[in-house]
Amino acid sequence: MSGRGPARRGVLTAAAGLAAAAATAPGPQAVAAPSREAGRSRWTTSWAAAQTAPTATDTVASAGLTDGTFTAAVRLSAGGQVRLRYGHAFGTVPVLVGPVTAGGHAVTFGGQPQAWIAAGASLTSDPVAGLRTTEAALLTVETRLPGPTGPLSFHRNTHASHSVDGVRTTSVFLLTAVEVTDAHGPVIAVLGDSIAEGVGTPDDADLCWPDQLARRLPGSAVANLGISGNRVLLDDARFGPSGQARFDRDVLSLPGLRTVFVHLGVNDLQQPPGQTDPTLVLAGYRQLVLRGRGAGLRVVGATITPFEGWARWTPGLEAVRQQINATVRTGRVFDAVADFDAAVRDPDRPSRMLPAHDSGDGLHPNPSGHAALAAAVDRRHLL
């Protein structure tokens, strides 16, 4: 992994301007300019799920709930005090949330057991009284939805077991984050696709590469914002808004964030309509970098992994992948690069994954492949 520091001239200039204003302002006492560290939230996102809108085949999410209970079991990366965040990014009507419990403790919103979440909005709870968690803890969140809710914004597949009124599901409804206070390592958001989400790993095993990365970095907080099928450039009714379209809501809204890791691109190539112009994908990456740096974040990128053996692979798309990766490796796109391609490719046939890392479909790594991806991320470039 190679990298360079993000541009911070705008941040430093703004800070200098505030300091000068404070020094010359009238009054009995000069006010020091706020530093970036001083203004950082003590809250960080320990678990996350990026939302999409339901389609007709998503029966529970599209119908919604009436007097229903959704129970989520979420694996935290960091611990400490806890608060919850709900979102209804694709809602059209307000939804009443609550009562809610987390780890068996009552959750309140402004001191009340219930609160409305507006259509398109988010809702953050109070710190949960009496609850402290440890890193890697499994937290159970039980949410009552009096309803009728109408269609629910949700994450389709977390590769973990939850339930709706006692019936197992791998989807998460409305709950978007568990935030904690005790992260003391890297604080990272992974803007990713199905590989980041965990396709190729078994349910309830916590073996996707962001999970494995969190275990390699004690004290880190890792928010996995992977969505299967997601792309840099184009929206999709099933696979959600593009990485560019969801960046502000899914990434910049997270408290205490230091680094965003961009793991997108393979779906731009292989998912119809495929993108065969590498300059457009690279331009999309650069826009994400500019927006991340503008928020004071470090932006780390990944090379696109091989996918020969996948049904839509072609030699032409392989050439596009190689062009994109060659430019990303130069270090002139992201602040740092994790070479995921090199981590899992077959050296004897670089257009394919090493068989030991392939889940069997040519595109998605198995748990061993996810471990190789996590190992390709250099801690020094996440701080």
Side-chain angles (χ1 to χ4, degrees):
M1 184 171 175
S2 62
R4 57 187 175 83
R8 303 196 183 278
R9 184 176 300 165
V11 175
L12 296 174
T13 301
L18 286 170
T24 57
Q29 180 176 326
V31 179
S35 71
R36 182 169 169 237
E37 289 299 319
R40 185 178 298 283
S41 169
R42 70 187 182 110
W43 294 97
T44 57
T45 302
S46 182
W47 172 90
Q51 293 187 329
T52 60
T55 64
T57 59
D58 303 305
T59 54
V60 174
S62 59
L65 297 177
T66 299
D67 197 24
T69 299
F70 165 63
T71 302
V74 300
R75 182 70 65 185
L76 305 183
S77 50
Q81 284 187 281
V82 170
R83 69 183 186 185
L84 308 180
R85 183 186 291 195
Y86 292 84
H88 201 13
F90 302 93
T92 57
V93 296
V95 172
L96 183 62
V97 174
V100 176
T101 62
H105 296 260
V107 177
T108 58
F109 305 88
Q112 302 301 311
Q114 293 179 304
W116 289 93
I117 179 170
S122 64
L123 172 69
T124 301
S125 78
D126 303 325
V128 181
L131 177 62
R132 290 192 69 88
T133 64
T134 58
E135 58 187 71
L138 187 65
L139 179 68
T140 300
V141 178
E142 186 173 281
T143 304
R144 193 75 175 172
L145 297 174
T149 63
L152 292 168
S153 305
F154 81 133
H155 185 93
R156 185 171 288 107
N157 190 359
T158 63
H159 303 278
S161 296
H162 317 290
S163 67
V164 175
D165 292 333
V167 178
R168 182 183 181 273
T169 179
T170 58
S171 299
V172 168
F173 306 90
L174 296 185
L175 184 67
T176 59
V178 177
E179 298 173 356
V180 300
T181 56
D182 288 359
H184 53 82
V187 180
I188 310 152
V190 178
L191 185 72
D193 53 28
S194 59
I195 299 176
E197 186 193 67
V199 174
T201 67
D203 289 351
D204 302 312
D206 306 311
L207 290 175
C208 67
W209 76 259
D211 288 336
Q212 298 199 51
L213 178 65
R215 288 194 290 274
R216 284 185 55 230
L217 305 174
S220 63
V222 180
N224 188 343
L225 304 173
I227 298 176
S228 283
N230 206 229
R231 295 187 267 197
V232 178
L233 300 173
L234 297 179
D235 299 345
D236 186 274
R238 182 167 180 81
F239 303 129
S242 70
Q244 292 192 94
R246 66 187 180 100
F247 190 80
D248 290 14
R249 179 184 65 246
D250 287 353
V251 175
L252 298 187
S253 65
L254 300 184
L257 187 63
R258 294 174 182 268
T259 302
V260 56
F261 193 110
V262 178
H263 183 194
L264 294 168
V266 70
N267 292 317
D268 293 79
L269 275 58
Q270 66 84 25
Q271 187 173 291
Q275 179 52 255
T276 58
D277 184 346
T279 63
L280 295 181
V281 176
L282 290 164
Y285 286 158
R286 291 188 173 98
Q287 282 299 308
L288 295 176
V289 172
L290 286 172
R291 289 159 69 187
R293 287 175 178 169
L297 302 178
R298 187 168 179 76
V299 187
V300 179
T303 51
I304 300 174
T305 50
F307 64 100
E308 184 182 356
W310 182 250
R312 289 191 286 268
W313 181 89
T314 67
L317 293 181
E318 176 65 16
V320 175
R321 184 181 77 90
Q322 293 289 356
Q323 290 178 66
I324 293 170
N325 285 351
T327 301
V328 167
R329 287 190 183 101
T330 66
R332 293 194 293 271
V333 178
F334 297 101
D335 297 320
V337 177
D339 198 342
F340 279 6
D341 172 42
V344 298
R345 71 189 177 208
D346 185 340
D348 295 326
R349 191 166 181 173
S351 56
R352 286 183 180 267
M353 262 189 286
L354 195 69
H357 291 332
D358 189 351
S359 67
D361 64 11
L363 175 62
H364 300 99
N366 61 17
S368 169
H370 279 264
L373 298 182
V377 181
D378 191 330
R379 176 192 176 100
R380 294 171 298 175
H381 297 140
L382 300 175
L383 299 174

